[in-house]
Amino acid sequence: VSTQSTGDQFDIKISLKINSDRSREVPCYNRANYEGINKELAGIDWDSVLSSDDITQNWATFRTYLRDICTKYIPTVKVRCNFSPPWYTATCEQASSHLPWGRT
């Protein structure tokens, strides 16, 4: 960001890096291996795993086990995120397409 003052006016120049990848990975629960999840959860000795007197530590341990198991048995899919700010209307899109930095 740079500014240049000329009397009562000043210019502001801003450089922005826009992430063009509008996709993200989300769990695909309908393709999850729930039998595998249940078997793995049933095979854990929870009394020894959650033996700490610190409830916060027990929660963190449980959460880690659960996340690891879910990552192992629940596949992910890439979804496209088409979110646009509510103020960015078709008129804004048309106006920005004529600017040098506008969309192509």
Side-chain angles (χ1 to χ4, degrees):
V1 176
S2 66
T3 60
Q4 213 173 31
S5 178
T6 55
D8 292 342
Q9 300 176 353
F10 60 92
D11 299 327
I12 298 176
K13 296 178 183 180
I14 299 174
S15 295
L16 298 175
K17 182 180 178 184
I18 298 173
N19 185 1
S20 61
D21 183 18
R22 294 186 180 182
S23 62
R24 61 188 175 107
E25 287 195 12
V26 296
C28 183
Y29 293 109
N30 63 335
R31 291 179 34 215
N33 179 355
Y34 290 106
E35 282 185 31
I37 292 171
N38 287 334
K39 283 181 185 177
E40 193 149 344
L41 288 172
I44 297 171
D45 181 9
W46 292 109
D47 289 332
S48 65
V49 170
L50 304 176
S51 61
S52 174
D53 290 334
D54 182 9
I55 190 71
T56 305
Q57 178 60 41
N58 285 339
W59 166 244
T61 302
F62 176 76
R63 186 178 59 208
T64 299
Y65 270 82
L66 191 59
R67 280 186 184 164
D68 291 345
I69 291 169
C70 287
T71 300
K72 184 176 178 181
Y73 291 103
I74 302 173
T76 57
V77 292
K78 247 185 181 182
V79 295
R80 187 171 167 90
C81 182
N82 292 327
F83 174 77
S84 295
W87 52 265
Y88 196 78
T89 63
T91 305
C92 292
E93 179 75 28
Q94 288 174 342
S96 70
S97 68
H98 299 292
L99 299 173
W101 61 83
R103 297 180 183 201
T104 56

